[in-house]
């Protein structure tokens, strides 16, 4: 599973951190950091995070193709 | 294959809570007919940006649409108000006379801005409120004229409107009856912090005073606001931001308990005035008044974005579980959370700071835009608030979740 967060949208609401602390956390400057490819066992939590983000910054996608950089 | 589902579910209120409930009904496997009724002409949109970037950002404002999932398959009746509920006949009547019968109903009509107090003279042109998209466009247009602005009520909504207007360079006076902004909701320390943010931004904050009346010019339009301390502040626009009123007018005569919001049990099932639950009717969002364990069980309406989303999901689950003989719905026990953005300070809270009898200030730094306060009631944690420290909220929230789950609050 692949998680992307659009940091131009994220307003540090923290709803994703509440819903899935295994995946999301904040650094000391209140910037969101996240696990890019968490284990599939966390899928429900990841989707819950995407659903509660007030600015819809989170995308959860199934595959993990690390293509062009 | 499962037999076709002939049930008809109706959602009244086509906004955050109603749309979330509809989406969750489908996600939880409901395949029957779904009708969504809304009195605004617009498809669902998000309200928080209306007091923030919609007012402050340059350029043409864009309505912040809420995405409607592809598989929703709903019949939308927009621009049409529900005017009556008959729970015995299981029917909702719309303003145009349409009668919708239902097997299940979600009440999600939210709230409206409190306007003129009853019995007072009509408000002159130039005095406005902010709740919906059309209000936001009208207020934005008024702000672009650049005349001085008076905002009545220094709660989150009033504070954000004042901040947005100040960002546009307007002269802004913010009038608050209490001795600090947000004193009742967040206590004196956080209130003083917010007051300092406003004053630093150049807003004239007048606390401990109320609005006595409005001064009009020769054209009949607003020219100034009379305050309780005998002074008059010049104003081209005044915004009343002194609270909301739950939209329950259409439920009059239905036998439902609706004072201060639609009364619900902990499963979000709607209650009659005698305290019994109405079968197959649930409610979600700003319109709901439900016992809050963190406030010692007092019935409260919350008016927060996250609450509307979480209740929308829970109400949908309760509605379907109520129709399933094996259904065992869980009571709604989410930890409330709220945010507000003021002058670049990210105010975030969890729990119910307003229910506290004691505040413990952990960090207080105005210039660094950092604040951390823990709120207690009878010695137990009931809430927390941070500015620039959202990361610290997670552990407070976990503690509150545990209290709620164990039923110790
Ligand atoms: C300007 C503004 C800024 C906000 N900022 C924040 C914020 O920063 N953080 C935060 O947590 N919360 C914020 N909120 C609160 C948040 O937007 C609300 O909690 C949320 O909108 C509640 O959703 P709801 O669906 O319950 O009610 P609403 O969004 O009010 O929707 C109810 C809908 O039902 C319709 N309706 C009413 N009566 C009828 C009827 N009889 N028939 C048919 N339709 C009807 C209404 O027109 C409306 O479209 C803000 C609200 C406003 C207005
Ligand atoms: S919920 Fe959304 S806005 Fe909030 S921190 Fe997570 S990604 Fe950012």
């Amino acid at each position: 599973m692949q998680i992307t967060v659009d940091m131009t949208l994220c307003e540090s609401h923290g709803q994703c951190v509440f819903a899935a602390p295994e995946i999301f956390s904040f650094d000391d400057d209140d910037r969101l950091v996240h696990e890019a490819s968490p284990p599939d066992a966390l899928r429900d939590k990841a989707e819950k995070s995407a659903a509660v983000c007030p600015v819809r910054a989170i995308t959860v996608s199934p595959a993990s193709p690390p293509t062009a950089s | 294959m499962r037999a076709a589902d002939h049930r008809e579910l109706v959602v009244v209120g086509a906004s955050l809570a109603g749309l979330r409930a509809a989406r969750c009904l489908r996600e939880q496997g409901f395949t029957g007919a779904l009708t969504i009724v809304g009195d605004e002409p617009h498809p669902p949109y998000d309200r928080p940006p209306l007091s923030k970037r919609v007012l402050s950002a340059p350029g043409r404002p864009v309505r912040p649409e809420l995405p409607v999932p592809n598989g929703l398959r709903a019949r939308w009746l927009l621009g049409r108000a529900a005017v009556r509920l008959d729970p015995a006949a299981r029917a909702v009547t719309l303003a145009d006379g349409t009668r919708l019968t239902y097997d299940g109903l979600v009440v999600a009509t939210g709230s409206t801005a409190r306007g003129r107090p009853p019995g007072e003279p009509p408000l002159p042109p130039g005095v406005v409120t902010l709740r919906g998209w059309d209000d936001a466009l009208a207020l934005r247009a008024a702000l672009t004229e650049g005349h001085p602005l008076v905002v009545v009520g220094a709660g989150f909504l009033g504070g954000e409107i004042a901040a947005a207007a100040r960002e546009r360079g307007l002269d802004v006076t913010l009038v608050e009856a209490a001795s600090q902004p947000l004193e009742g909701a967040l206590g004196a320390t956080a209130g003083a912090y917010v007051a300092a943010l406003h004053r630093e931004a150049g807003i004239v904050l007048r606390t401990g005073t109320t609005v006595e009346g409005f001064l009009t010019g020769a054209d009949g339009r607003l020219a100034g606001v009379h305050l309780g301390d005998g002074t008059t502040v010049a104003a081209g626009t005044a915004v009343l931001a002194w609270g909301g009123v739950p939209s329950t007018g259409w439920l009059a005569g239905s036998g439902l308990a609706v004072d201060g919001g639609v009364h619900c049990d902990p499963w979000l099932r709607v209650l009659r005035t005698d305290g019994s639950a109405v079968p197959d009717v649930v409610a979600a969002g700003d319109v709901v008044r439900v016992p809050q364990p963190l406030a010692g069980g007092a019935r409260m309406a919350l008016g927060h974005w996250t609450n509307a989303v979480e209740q929308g999901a829970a109400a949908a689950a309760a509605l379907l579980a109520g129709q399933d003989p094996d259904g065992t719905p869980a009571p709604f026990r989410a930890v409330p959370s709220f945010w507000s953005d003021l002058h670049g300070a990210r105010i975030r809270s969890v729990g119910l700071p307003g229910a506290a009898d004691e505040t413990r200030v952990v960090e207080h730094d105005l210039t660094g835009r950092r604040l951390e306060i823990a709120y207690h009631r009878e010695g137990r944690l009931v809430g927390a608030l941070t500015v620039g420290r959202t990361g610290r909220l997670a552990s407070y929230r976990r503690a509150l979740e545990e209290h709620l789950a164990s039923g110790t609050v």
Side-chain angles (χ1 to χ4, degrees):
Chain A
M1 167 176 61
Q2 204 65 14
I3 309 256
T4 48
V5 177
D6 184 340
M7 290 306 286
T8 62
L9 291 177
C10 174
E11 296 173 351
S12 298
H13 285 296
Q15 294 297 332
C16 57
V17 180
F18 302 154
E22 301 87 343
I23 304 174
F24 301 94
S25 58
F26 286 109
D27 68 13
D28 276 350
D29 290 321
D30 249 8
R31 278 180 61 85
L32 184 71
V33 287
H34 74 281
E35 208 65 59
S37 27
D40 280 340
L42 293 173
R43 165 162 290 274
D44 278 359
K45 285 192 156 190
E47 280 178 352
K48 171 115 201 293
S49 310
V52 295
C53 172
V55 295
R56 298 183 295 280
I58 302 171
T59 313
V60 182
S61 44
S64 50
T67 46
S69 58
Chain B
M1 209 184 94
R2 278 170 54 181
D5 190 336
H6 295 294
R7 285 177 296 172
E8 300 209 11
L9 301 187
V10 173
V11 177
V12 181
S15 181
L16 188 61
L19 177 62
R20 188 59 65 126
R23 169 174 152 184
C24 290
L25 288 168
R26 288 295 187 218
E27 282 173 6
Q28 289 165 29
F30 172 66
T31 56
L34 181 58
T35 300
I36 303 175
V37 181
D39 63 356
E40 293 184 271
H42 314 296
Y45 59 88
D46 214 13
R47 288 172 212 272
L50 304 188
S51 52
K52 305 176 183 74
R53 66 165 189 271
V54 169
L55 296 182
S56 61
R60 227 177 103 91
V62 180
R63 193 168 59 231
E65 307 277 347
L66 287 169
V68 174
N70 283 331
L72 196 66
R73 288 176 293 111
R75 174 166 69 128
W76 293 86
L77 302 179
L78 297 180
R80 297 163 78 175
V83 292
R84 198 162 56 248
L85 169 66
D86 181 346
R90 293 173 172 256
V92 173
T93 310
L94 308 188
D96 60 10
T98 307
R99 193 164 176 274
L100 303 171
T101 54
Y102 62 78
D103 298 296
L105 175 70
V106 181
V107 175
T109 43
S111 59
T112 53
R114 210 180 113 208
R116 166 175 68 104
E120 303 236 330
L123 299 170
V127 182
V128 299
T129 55
L130 173 60
R131 178 75 197 178
W133 174 246
D134 300 328
D135 303 331
L137 287 187
L139 177 57
R140 188 190 152 91
L143 296 184
T144 52
E145 289 176 15
H147 302 304
L149 176 77
V150 171
V151 180
V152 183
F156 288 114
L157 182 67
E160 288 182 353
I161 295 168
R166 191 65 205 130
E167 215 175 297
R168 302 189 73 105
L170 271 63
D171 285 341
V172 180
T173 305
L174 184 54
V175 181
E176 170 59 46
S179 56
Q180 296 289 359
L182 295 160
E183 195 168 6
L186 302 180
T189 308
Y193 191 95
V194 167
L197 292 177
H198 285 317
R199 292 200 165 110
E200 203 175 78
I203 290 169
V204 178
L205 177 64
R206 304 278 297 268
T207 56
T209 189
T210 50
V211 170
E212 291 287 301
F214 299 101
L215 173 74
T216 50
D219 58 359
R221 283 189 56 87
L222 179 76
V225 178
H226 298 303
L227 300 184
D229 58 10
T231 58
T232 299
V233 183
T237 304
V239 187
L240 304 181
W242 48 14
V245 184
S247 303
T248 57
W250 66 286
L251 299 170
S254 64
L256 268 53
V258 295
D259 64 292
V262 173
H263 290 212
C264 291
D265 68 9
W267 290 267
L268 299 174
R269 294 179 297 209
V270 165
L271 301 176
R272 299 189 185 88
T273 44
D274 66 7
S276 62
V278 184
D280 302 314
V281 182
V282 294
D286 283 13
V287 77
V288 167
R289 200 164 162 223
V290 72
Q292 297 290 345
L294 291 174
R299 249 175 216 293
M300 289 171 67
L302 286 185
H304 303 168
W305 192 96
T306 309
N307 178 63
V309 164
E310 291 173 342
Q311 285 192 341
L319 187 61
L320 293 180
Q323 302 193 331
D324 174 354
D326 306 322
T328 44
F332 178 72
R333 293 230 135 174
V335 177
S337 61
F338 185 83
W339 79 88
S340 178
D341 295 323
L342 279 178
H343 311 292
R346 287 173 167 166
I347 304 173
R348 306 285 183 258
S349 90
V350 294
L352 292 176
D357 54 26
E358 184 201 347
T359 57
R360 301 181 189 170
V361 181
V362 182
E363 185 179 12
H364 189 291
D365 172 4
L366 191 62
T367 40
R369 292 284 193 271
R370 294 201 191 281
L371 181 67
E372 179 179 350
I373 302 179
Y375 294 84
H376 294 256
R377 177 192 173 90
E378 291 163 6
R380 278 187 166 281
L381 184 76
V382 291
L385 173 114
T386 60
V387 173
R389 288 283 191 209
T390 318
R392 302 223 182 136
L393 276 185
S395 61
Y396 288 113
R397 195 186 130 111
R398 253 191 316 277
L400 291 170
E401 228 163 34
E402 280 160 20
H403 289 348
L404 284 174
S406 65
T408 53
V409 285

